[in-house]
Amino acid sequence: MAGGADIRVNPWAALRPDEDAEQVGTDVSAAHESFVERGAAPASVRRVVEASWVRSRGNGIDPDRQIGRTSLTGIELERHRRAHPMASVRPVVQTLLVEDARDTGLLIAMSDAHGRLLWVEGDSAAKDRAAGMNFVDGADWSEAAVGTNAPGTALALDHCVQIFGAEHYSRLVHPWSCAAGPVHDPATGRIIGAIDITGGPRVAVPEVLSLIRATVAVAESELRAHPVSVRTAPRVELLGSQPALLFGNERIALSRRHSEILLLLMEHPEGLATEHIAVLLDERDLDAVTVRAEISRLRRILGGTALGSRPYRLLTELDSDVGELRRSLRRGDIGAAVARYRGQLLPASRAPGVGRVRESLRARMRAAVLTSRDPAILGWWISSVDGREDRGAWSAYLASLDRDSSLYAQVAAQIGMLDQELGDRSNHSQR
C-alpha cells in the first residue's frame, strides 16, 4: 500500500486524501494474496488490518467460503430488536444516514455488541447485492465469524475503523468497502452495538470515517438523554460465592447449574448445542434432557425473550462483573480490577468449561498484580485464596518491601515455609 502504515496520520482510515484509490486497491489485493497464500503481508499493510487478518486466520476463517451465518430470524430477531438499546438510537441513524443513502449504492447497518446485524437499510439494489454475501438482518458479522470487516473489527478493537476492498479477509467482500464505529452505553462504558456504512470505494475516503464518528457521538448523546432504555437487561454477578441476577434493585440468587449455563452462554455468543453444553458442564456425559430442563428454568428467570434456541444463545445484552473485570484489565486499571475481583469465578463449580474461564481470569489477574509491583496490591493478592500459596507473588511482595522492616522478615519466613511445604509435597508424590 502506498505510503505504508508507519507514516499514516490516522491508521484507522483506509485512505489518505492524496492517495490514488485504484492503486491502493491493487496493492491491497496483492498483499491479501500474499498473506493468504504465504502467511505473510507486506510491511505497507496497515497494522490494524494485518493484525485482524492474523486473528481471522487464527479463528479458522476460510477466505473463499460463504460467510455471514444467520443467527437470528423471524420472531426471535423482532424480539431482540425491540428489546435492544440500539433501537432507541435508530431514528437518529435514519435521519443522519439512512434517508440520504437511498439510491446512492450505500447501506447503513446497525449491529448489537456481538456483531449480529439488527437492521440493514439503504439503497435497494445494494441490499440485493449484499444479500449474496449474507449481509442481511440477523446475520452474524462479528470478526470471529466472518473475518476482517468494519463492524466486526470495530467491535473487536472498540474503535472506529475503515476497511477498504481487499482489506476484508473474505474474498467475497472484496468488492465492498465499509466504515464503522462502536456505540457505548454512556453510563457503564460497555459496548452495546455498532453503526456501519457499506458501499463502494468512496466509503474508504476519510470524510466517511468522520461521518461515522459524528453519528456515533450523536447516538451516544441520545442514549445519555434516555438512559432507561440502555439498562433494561439484568446484570449478572458470578465472582464470589453468591451468584445472582440483578434486575434494578431486585436481586435473584442463581443456582450453581444456572450460573454455569449462563456463564457458558455469555462466553459463547455464537450459541451452543445441547450436547456441547453438556460436555462443558460435565465431561462424564451429562444427560441432554437434564440440560434442556435447566435451560427452560433459566429462561423463565431471565424472561421469555432472553434465550434463543437451536443453538441455545443469549438474545439480550447482559452486563456482568466478569465483563467489567476484563475491561479493567484491558485498560491496565489494576486498581479497578482489584476492586471488582471479589473472589474466584463460581468457586464451587467443577464444570470443565467454567474451570477454564476461571483459570484464565486468575492468570490475567496474577499477571496484572505482578506487573504492578505495588506493595498494597501484592499484599492483597497473597492474602487471597488465589495468592496465599503463590510463591512468585510472595517473592515479588518481598522485593517491594524495605529490607530493614519487620514485615520483610515475616514475608521472608513465609516464603521459607512455602518452600518447605512444596518440597514435602514433591517428596510425598515421588514415593
Side-chain angles (χ1 to χ4, degrees), residues 89-234:
V89 301
R90 188 182 175 207
V92 168
V93 175
Q94 288 180 316
T95 299
L96 295 178
L97 300 179
V98 177
E99 291 179 4
D100 294 329
R102 305 187 192 283
D103 303 319
T104 64
L106 299 178
L107 296 176
I108 310 302
M110 298 175 65
S111 81
D112 64 14
H114 300 302
R116 296 173 295 196
L117 301 180
L118 300 173
W119 295 277
V120 179
E121 303 176 276
D123 182 88
S124 56
K127 283 187 70 173
D128 291 341
R129 292 197 305 275
M133 59 180 182
N134 207 32
F135 192 76
V136 296
D137 296 354
D140 181 357
W141 272 70
S142 63
E143 191 183 76
V146 305
T148 309
N149 73 95
T153 301
L155 291 170
L157 299 179
D158 193 8
H159 204 289
C160 294
V161 67
Q162 281 176 309
I163 302 297
F164 175 43
E167 289 182 333
H168 290 94
Y169 192 69
S170 170
R171 288 190 172 100
L172 194 61
V173 198
H174 284 189
W176 301 84
S177 294
C178 46
V183 179
H184 303 83
D185 174 356
T188 66
R190 70 184 179 98
I191 298 174
I192 61 170
I195 299 171
D196 167 78
I197 300 177
T198 290
R202 63 194 178 107
V203 177
V205 300
E207 291 80 4
V208 175
L209 189 61
S210 297
L211 179 59
I212 281 290
R213 286 198 183 98
T215 304
V216 167
V218 174
E220 291 179 349
S221 177
E222 181 71 11
L223 290 171
R224 192 174 293 107
H226 302 90
V228 175
S229 63
V230 182
R231 292 190 288 275
T232 54

Side-chain angles (χ1 to χ4, degrees), residues 335-420:
V338 167
R340 289 180 169 85
Y341 195 69
R342 296 187 307 275
Q344 291 184 333
L345 173 67
L346 299 180
S349 173
R350 296 297 175 263
V354 173
R356 285 192 287 273
V357 182
R358 181 195 300 131
E359 180 55 28
S360 173
L361 285 176
R362 192 203 71 82
R364 291 182 64 182
M365 278 297 301
R366 181 181 187 273
V369 167
L370 294 182
T371 302
S372 76
R373 300 183 181 179
D374 184 314
I377 292 175
L378 287 163
W380 165 81
W381 179 255
I382 60 174
S383 299
S384 70
V385 172
D386 294 283
R388 62 180 59 150
E389 294 187 358
D390 185 342
R391 193 197 186 286
W394 278 93
S395 296
Y397 184 45
L398 184 68
S400 72
L401 300 175
D402 183 346
R403 296 181 65 91
D404 295 328
S405 68
S406 60
L407 184 56
Y408 185 94
Q410 295 172 37
V411 172
Q414 180 64 32
I415 292 174
M417 291 178 59
L418 285 174
D419 287 342
Q420 182 177 347

Side-chain angles (χ1 to χ4, degrees), residues 67-95:
I67 56 174
R69 178 182 63 87
T70 300
S71 60
L72 293 171
T73 59
I75 189 64
E76 284 188 349
L77 175 60
E78 288 304 316
R79 287 173 174 169
H80 185 48
R81 290 198 289 204
R82 283 199 301 269
H84 200 278
M86 289 292 282
S88 65
V89 301
R90 188 182 175 207
V92 168
V93 175
Q94 288 180 316
T95 299

